[in-house]
């Protein structure tokens, strides 16, 4: 039986590459020295695209693949996939929800603790002799018992809230509409109002054109000089220029970020700031979760080509 032709947009761990290569005729876009020439050659044969959350698949690429039937995203976020282009041609889109929720929520909480207790700089203090030469580490800010805001009460936002309940925090959330089953969390209709009543503001919102820069200057101002922003969603949900200005000017207490505009390259101004924790977009990055993501990505592709219902369809 001939294997369907698949365009692979980025690398996967070896444990995913092997089964993908066994089931598909894989064309590695990211290895091509000249992607335009590569697409000219293989584009007409492509029936499936395997991509990752942060890589997506834009209209121009989709248009180069006239036989494309399905795009399978290794990641829960599909904001990088041009859904309109897919709808126009009846191209199916799948993602990997649920399997990564716990790990993303774990890292969000770790980031909160790390930034408010100065865990990274304290480690340097112990390691570089400062403890001996300068004495005890400067006092930090407490996490437990404070007020947390969850911007976006989806699967990941709920998992963050469940974890924070163990920190005896007052937790509120903001969503386009109140959730009927919000586990007793307080609903706040407006992001500025949520930031005003938060010490820690978690951004766990699925990104879309409608949420672009939802965390803007006014939200950052409301969070204030003692407030901390934690983003494990997408950089586009935050006005990064306003964020850097607020961190530089001290009008925002701190930030812990797993996602950046133009990642993996960071705005160099971030590197000069000591009130920001920088993480390399790895919230879903555990062996257990990445294995489950790879499996689900392949299960979706296999179901499509077997004519079966897709396990986790977006479109
Ligand atoms: C990435 C993500 O897919 O789930 C998402 O939307 O952005 C991540 O899980 C992951 O970094 C693999 O590329």
């Amino acid at each position: 039986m001939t294997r369907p032709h698949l365009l692979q947009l980025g690398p996967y761990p070896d444990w995913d590459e092997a089964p993908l290569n066994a089931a598909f005729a894989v064309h590695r876009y990211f290895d091509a020295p000249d992607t335009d020439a590569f697409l000219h050659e293989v584009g007409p044969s492509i029936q499936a695209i395997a991509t990752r959350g942060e890589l997506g698949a834009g209209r121009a690429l989709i248009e180069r693949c006239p036989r494309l039937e399905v795009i399978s995203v290794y990641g829960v976020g599909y904001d990088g996939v041009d859904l309109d282009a897919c709808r126009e041609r009846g191209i199916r889109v799948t993602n990997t929800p649920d399997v990564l929720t716990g790990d993303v929520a774990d890292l969000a909480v770790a980031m909160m603790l790390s930034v408010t207790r100065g865990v990274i700089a304290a480690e340097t203090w112990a390691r570089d002799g400062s403890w001996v030469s300068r004495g005890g580490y400067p006092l930090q800010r407490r996490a437990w018992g404070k007020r947390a805001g969850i911007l976006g009460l989806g699967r990941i936002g709920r998992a963050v809230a469940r974890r924070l309940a163990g920190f005896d925090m007052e937790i509120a959330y903001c969503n386009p509409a109140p959730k009927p089953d919000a586990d007793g969390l307080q609903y706040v209709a407006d992001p500025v109002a949520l930031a005003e009543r938060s010490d820690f503001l978690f951004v766990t919102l699925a990104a879309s054109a409608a949420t672009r820069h939802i965390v803007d200057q006014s939200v950052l101002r409301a969070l204030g000089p003692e407030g901390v922003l934690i983003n494990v969603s997408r950089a586009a949900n935050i006005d990064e220029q306003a964020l850097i200005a607020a961190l530089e000017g001290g009008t925002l207490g701190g930030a812990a970020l797993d996602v950046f505009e133009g990642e993996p390259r960071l705005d160099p101004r971030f590197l000069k700031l000591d009130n920001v924790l920088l993480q390399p977009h790895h919230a879903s990055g555990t062996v257990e979760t990445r294995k489950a993501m790879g499996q689900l990505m392949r299960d979706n592709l296999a179901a499509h080509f077997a004519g079966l219902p897709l396990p986790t369809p977006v479109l």
Side-chain angles (χ1 to χ4, degrees), residues 13-26:
D14 290 346
W15 58 66
D16 290 319
E17 297 275 354
L20 205 60
N21 283 307
F24 295 92
V26 174

Side-chain angles (χ1 to χ4, degrees), residues 52-54 74-77 100 234 281 284 290 293:
R52 302 199 318 229
E54 72 277 29
Y74 174 87
V76 67
L100 48 65
R234 283 287 186 268
H281 196 157
S284 68
R290 289 288 168 87
M293 287 164 64

Side-chain angles (χ1 to χ4, degrees), residues 206 244 290 296 308:
I244 292 172
R290 289 288 168 87
L296 187 50
L308 296 170

Side-chain angles (χ1 to χ4, degrees), residues 74-259:
Y74 174 87
V76 67
Y78 48 84
D79 49 301
V81 177
D82 192 319
L83 295 185
D84 288 337
C86 293
R87 271 190 207 100
E88 285 164 21
R89 289 190 24 216
I91 296 166
R92 307 297 309 270
V93 178
T94 66
N95 67 343
T96 60
D98 297 317
V99 294
L100 48 65
T101 300
D103 279 342
V104 176
D106 280 358
L107 193 77
V109 173
M111 287 161 67
M112 171 191 76
L113 290 173
S114 182
V115 81
T116 197
R117 296 296 304 271
V119 173
I120 307 283
E123 211 263 353
T124 305
W125 191 271
R127 211 178 258 276
D128 73 0
S130 296
W131 194 5
V132 176
S133 61
R134 302 167 73 185
Y137 189 62
L139 301 184
Q140 303 295 303
R141 292 287 178 173
R142 156 188 297 180
W144 75 266
K146 295 279 176 74
R147 300 164 307 164
I150 312 271
L151 183 54
L153 196 71
R155 301 177 185 88
I156 293 170
R158 282 178 194 278
V160 169
R162 280 199 302 277
R163 284 157 176 72
L164 295 184
F167 290 82
D168 298 328
M169 293 177 122
E170 267 177 54
I171 310 168
Y173 75 100
C174 175
N175 227 49
K179 296 262 180 169
D181 52 347
D183 306 326
L185 305 180
Q186 192 191 328
Y187 176 65
V188 179
D190 166 54
V192 174
L194 182 72
E196 252 160 23
R197 50 105 36 237
S198 298
D199 299 302
F200 298 99
L201 182 64
F202 290 83
V203 187
T204 51
L205 199 63
S208 69
T211 67
R212 185 175 160 74
H213 291 187
I214 187 165
V215 176
D216 60 6
Q217 197 185 26
S218 55
V219 173
L220 298 171
R221 199 180 306 119
L223 195 51
E226 303 286 321
V228 174
L229 179 78
I230 297 131
N231 189 13
V232 288
S233 61
R234 283 287 186 268
N237 282 335
I238 293 175
D239 180 343
E240 199 171 275
Q241 296 305 312
L243 173 62
I244 292 172
L247 288 166
E248 284 176 341
T251 56
L252 178 67
L257 308 169
D258 190 44
V259 283

